[in-house]
Amino acid sequence: GENVEQHPSTLSVQEGDSAVIKCTYSDSASNYFPWYKQELGKGPQLIIDIRSNVGEKKDQRIAVTLNKTAKHFSLHITETQPEDSAVYFCAASMGGAAGNKLTFGGGTRVLVKP
Amino acid sequence: KAGVTQTPRYLIKTRGQQVTLSCSPISGHRSVSWYQQTPGQGLQFLFEYFSETQRNKGNFPGRFSGRQFSNSRSEMNVSTLELGDSALYLCASSPGQGAHEQYFGPGTRLTVT
């Protein structure tokens, strides 16, 4: 089955700096890659996603890039703010017979220091 | 639109008991998936329902089961609870089948003593 690895597990940045989280996936059949932000006591919140026919997607301060050949994708957060502090998860999905099943990475705890 | 709702939010059960958790998806969404979140194993897929049919199932024992009703609301049941079942159980709602965006509820925190 699909396996998703996420690095780093923790990330501490100064407010205003950029943060980058990287994920690799194992199954080339995966075609949908969402990113979630989870704050304490809450469920994961979808913040951005990318499909395999797109190489890059941007939404204000966050962007995601996808390299299908290397089977890795990354989340970039620019001009970080204290409210960006949370745990971030990447995930991969194949669709088709696998339906909406998401395989998640292990998570990255991001701390933005004011 | 209201988001995904899950009830109850917190639950304490004893080993050997059974538990039923409920999820109401976003209005109009027909797919509901369940995930278990633990510090050790992270987020793991339990199963997905679409139009009252189980579409996919993760690697969990048969003690974990679910169902979906005609109004797309879903329940999951865990029988013969074990200490290791203590976790945050998350429900995710999606408009359709196949690699669609999923929106999570706040989860039900289950503690087994």
Side-chain angles (χ1 to χ4, degrees):
Chain A
E2 174 66 283
N3 182 53
V4 177
E5 295 196 358
Q6 183 172 346
H7 300 280
S9 56
T10 59
L11 182 59
S12 182
V13 297
Q14 207 66 38
E15 183 179 357
D17 288 350
S18 295
V20 179
I21 303 170
K22 298 182 179 181
C23 289
T24 60
Y25 60 100
S26 61
D27 198 322
S28 56
S30 289
N31 56 24
Y32 175 67
F33 306 92
W35 286 87
Y36 287 88
K37 173 184 180 182
Q38 188 173 27
E39 296 172 298
L40 202 59
K42 297 184 178 180
Q45 175 195 359
L46 178 65
I47 56 172
I48 195 167
D49 57 11
I50 192 167
R51 297 182 189 270
S52 59
N53 58 348
V54 176
E56 185 173 355
K57 185 176 178 181
K58 191 173 180 181
D59 182 4
Q60 298 183 339
R61 294 187 298 108
I62 60 173
V64 58
T65 59
L66 171 65
N67 183 325
K68 285 189 296 182
T69 304
K71 289 191 279 192
H72 67 70
F73 56 113
S74 301
L75 177 71
H76 304 252
I77 306 174
T78 58
E79 300 172 21
T80 53
Q81 300 167 5
E83 51 265 37
D84 294 330
S85 295
V87 180
Y88 291 79
F89 293 95
C90 63
S93 176
M94 296 180 201
N100 285 323
K101 174 185 175 181
L102 291 172
T103 301
F104 283 89
T108 297
R109 185 173 300 277
V110 173
L111 175 63
V112 180
K113 295 182 285 186
Chain B
K1 269 188 183 178
V4 179
T5 58
Q6 293 187 244
T7 57
R9 292 293 312 280
Y10 303 92
L11 206 48
I12 300 175
K13 289 287 188 179
T14 305
R15 264 184 309 175
Q17 288 186 316
Q18 75 166 19
V19 67
T20 299
L21 313 181
S22 181
C23 170
S24 291
I26 293 169
S27 177
H29 285 195
R30 295 168 64 193
S31 167
V32 172
S33 298
W34 289 88
Y35 293 81
Q36 182 196 64
Q37 185 174 27
T38 60
Q41 299 299 316
L43 279 151
Q44 293 187 291
F45 173 79
L46 280 156
F47 29 65
E48 179 192 2
Y49 287 87
F50 180 84
S51 293
E52 302 178 64
T53 301
Q54 187 180 87
R55 290 206 67 208
N56 206 346
K57 184 170 166 52
N59 296 324
F60 280 83
R63 299 185 297 106
F64 292 81
S65 63
R67 59 178 176 167
Q68 187 180 34
F69 302 95
S70 58
N71 62 357
S72 294
R73 190 177 70 84
S74 177
E75 290 181 346
M76 68 163 281
N77 184 77
V78 188
S79 62
T80 320
L81 284 165
E82 300 178 359
L83 294 178
D85 296 333
S86 294
L88 181 67
Y89 289 90
L90 292 158
C91 164
S93 150
S94 179
Q97 303 182 66
H100 284 259
E101 59 274 16
Q102 293 186 59
Y103 301 93
F104 282 83
T108 294
R109 171 73 62 188
L110 172 64
T111 302
V112 182
T113 62

